[in-house]
Amino acid sequence: MSHSEPQAAVGIASIGVQLPPLAMDMSELAQLRGADVNKYRHGLGCDVMALCPEGYGVVDLAVGAAKRALGRWRGDVSDIGLVSVGSESALDMSRPLSAWVASELGLRGNFRSYEVKHACYGGTLALRQAVEWKLANVQPGKAALVIATDVALYAEGDPGEPTQGAGAVAMIVEDGLVASIARASYPYSEPAFDFWRPVGCAFPLVEGPLSLDCYQRATAACYEQLLAGEAEPFARLMAYGAHCFHVPFPKMVKKAVSMLGQAFTLDEGQLTAFFEEKVQPSLAWNKQIGNAYTASLWISVADQLRRLAPGTIMTAFSYGSGFGAELFEITAGPECARGAWARDVESDLASRRLVKASEYTKLRSGERRVTASVPPAAAISA
Ligand code: HMG
């Protein structure tokens, strides 16, 4: 199960990651809010949250990630037949984020361009649609540029504040040189108000305990489909090279694993082995970044892929509030071991500046809220 012949089926041909240039350690936030830092570090599993400076946002992140993915791809931008951006940080109710990205990348011509929204699930939906578009061979020879980009901010003092973060992952969907994506997938959806952001609200409204419950139920429902009829669920879970999850905060993933323990009657030893060997290794970057909403799962997948031998099969579980979830298999491709995208993350983590609580408070008071986006005169005349 954990290995198959390396193949270049439809999947990810190149990955680029972009993180913002600022961050804040949890100790600063704990001091500011009069909280015990152990609650953030151990209770939630968060160490550092990525932050954007004034005037820097989802488009900068998306374009940075896209340039990195394109720069390492053997194709040419003229081979792109679809640009799709998954995000819940939309700048406009009408104009898709993909138009801002295309403008920055100088793209125009015969390609589809759109934005996908379903909370943190939007990036995965964009990827799944691109894979299905490629399998359908709608535009022979063309590739898709898929980007998951978000800036996660809660109201100051909100319980979600220590889980904030930001980042973007761009993936070129073509052959599976980096990773192939299985055609089969296991979705689950239920309408819920666990986390939502009404039009005009700068920050999300959250029913915290309900959101944890929804996430865990979705995990069980998706894995029950994957493992349907399996006599040895533990052996099957352990046969995968890794299991990646959406990471709103690392402790959430541990809760999801506990839910799988209940669903498949795993004992304590099995649960610990499953978490420590198959899940925990891919949480390292997320702990340093925070929740990047649509990008969080893909940051975890990118972290894990570089450690897998070509042909190894892993799973990806996506969750988006509202709520929708999907689980599917990913097979490490012949180029995954090079892990070229790790340089993006390592250089961004090394070069970012850690801000103190006072600077964070100042940043928040200037809040980067885009209420209306007026096209610059240059863009109209172009
Ligand atoms: P809270 O109420 O502040 O936290 O909010 P708590 O009191 O429940 O404590 C959290 C944990 O810290 C607990 O551990 C405490 O025991 C522990 P647990 O019982 O869970 O294992 N704790 C301590 N540990 C060590 N030392 C201490 C200490 N004190 C307490 N001194 C909550 C937590 C997650 C609700 C909040 O952060 C929140 O609202 N976050 C946003 C919502 C969220 O992330 N939900 C996750 C599922 S929904 C999702 O993933 C979708 C999402 O990404 C959005 C999208 O789809 O677009 C959010």
Side-chain angles (χ1 to χ4, degrees):
M1 166 55 58
S2 71
H3 279 74
S4 73
E5 277 308 300
Q7 52 185 332
V10 170
I12 303 167
S14 180
I15 300 183
V17 184
Q18 180 71 56
L19 305 178
L22 299 181
M24 187 165 86
D25 192 273
M26 282 299 133
S27 58
E28 290 289 323
L29 184 66
Q31 206 177 4
L32 182 66
R33 301 293 173 228
D36 181 348
V37 70
N38 290 322
K39 173 174 179 179
Y40 298 166
R41 290 229 171 99
H42 305 299
L44 298 173
C46 306
D47 286 343
V48 182
M49 60 185 183
L51 290 170
C52 296
E54 193 80 45
Y56 183 103
V58 275
V59 175
D60 305 278
L61 290 166
V63 170
K67 282 184 176 166
R68 285 170 164 177
L70 288 163
R72 285 192 283 266
W73 182 44
R74 60 186 176 173
D76 183 81
V77 284
S78 60
D79 300 327
I80 298 290
L82 188 157
V83 179
S84 175
V85 179
S87 182
E88 56 184 288
S89 311
L91 295 181
D92 190 284
M93 289 292 290
S94 173
R95 191 177 201 258
L97 275 171
S98 55
W100 268 275
V101 171
S103 170
E104 290 291 321
L105 294 176
L107 289 174
R108 59 173 61 201
N110 302 336
F111 64 91
R112 277 188 194 159
S113 163
Y114 61 95
E115 182 178 318
V116 180
K117 180 184 72 178
H118 192 318
C120 300
Y121 180 28
T124 301
L125 279 169
L127 179 79
R128 291 288 328 174
Q129 286 179 334
V131 167
E132 288 154 17
W133 168 86
K134 188 73 192 147
L135 284 167
N137 206 20
V138 174
Q139 275 185 283
K142 295 282 184 176
L145 171 62
V146 172
I147 309 167
T149 182
D150 267 304
V151 176
L153 281 176
Y154 291 82
E156 287 176 80
D158 186 281
E161 194 178 24
T163 72
Q164 293 175 151
V169 178
M171 293 168 275
I172 295 178
V173 174
E174 192 194 30
D175 53 38
L177 278 179
V178 168
S180 59
I181 307 287
R183 184 187 294 238
S185 83
Y186 307 95
Y188 184 78
S189 194
E190 262 184 42
F193 275 101
D194 59 329
F195 168 110
W196 69 109
R197 182 157 69 88
V199 174
C201 284
F203 307 113
L205 305 176
V206 189
E207 292 289 339
L210 175 67
S211 75
L212 309 190
D213 182 57
C214 290
Y215 184 115
Q216 289 171 94
R217 277 191 297 119
T219 313
C222 290
Y223 271 86
E224 272 158 9
Q225 295 174 69
L226 176 74
L227 303 185
E230 188 65 60
E232 300 281 349
F234 176 64
R236 172 84 187 278
L237 288 171
M238 294 300 281
Y240 285 103
H243 294 257
C244 286
F245 291 79
H246 165 54
V247 192
F249 54 95
K251 183 73 159 295
M252 182 71 243
V253 176
K254 201 162 189 194
K255 288 177 188 291
V257 166
S258 299
M259 176 52 111
L260 292 181
Q262 280 178 43
F264 300 108
T265 51
L266 307 184
D267 64 34
E268 271 309 307
Q270 290 175 325
L271 213 50
T272 304
F274 175 55
F275 182 71
E276 289 182 357
E277 290 172 38
K278 303 294 176 180
V279 180
Q280 197 171 35
S282 65
L283 298 175
W285 285 348
N286 299 88
K287 285 172 88 69
Q288 296 299 314
I289 295 166
N291 193 356
Y293 291 155
T294 51
S296 281
L297 166 66
W298 298 102
I299 287 170
S300 181
V301 169
D303 191 359
Q304 187 61 59
L305 271 176
R306 68 201 168 117
R307 286 191 234 108
L308 296 182
T312 308
I313 303 174
M314 59 179 276
T315 65
F317 171 76
S318 186
Y319 176 83
S321 288
F323 72 82
E326 194 158 338
L327 174 69
F328 48 91
E329 294 176 346
I330 296 178
T331 304
E335 284 200 7
C336 75
R338 290 177 57 213
W341 54 91
R343 287 198 299 276
D344 301 346
V345 178
E346 280 153 12
S347 70
D348 287 352
L349 290 178
S351 65
R352 69 185 182 176
R353 188 167 61 80
L354 288 176
V355 303
K356 294 283 182 201
S358 52
E359 188 176 346
Y360 171 71
T361 306
K362 213 166 140 203
L363 261 180
R364 296 297 313 249
S365 68
E367 212 74 71
R368 303 168 302 287
R369 254 174 262 168
V370 180
T371 46
S373 224
V374 180
I380 298 172
S381 57

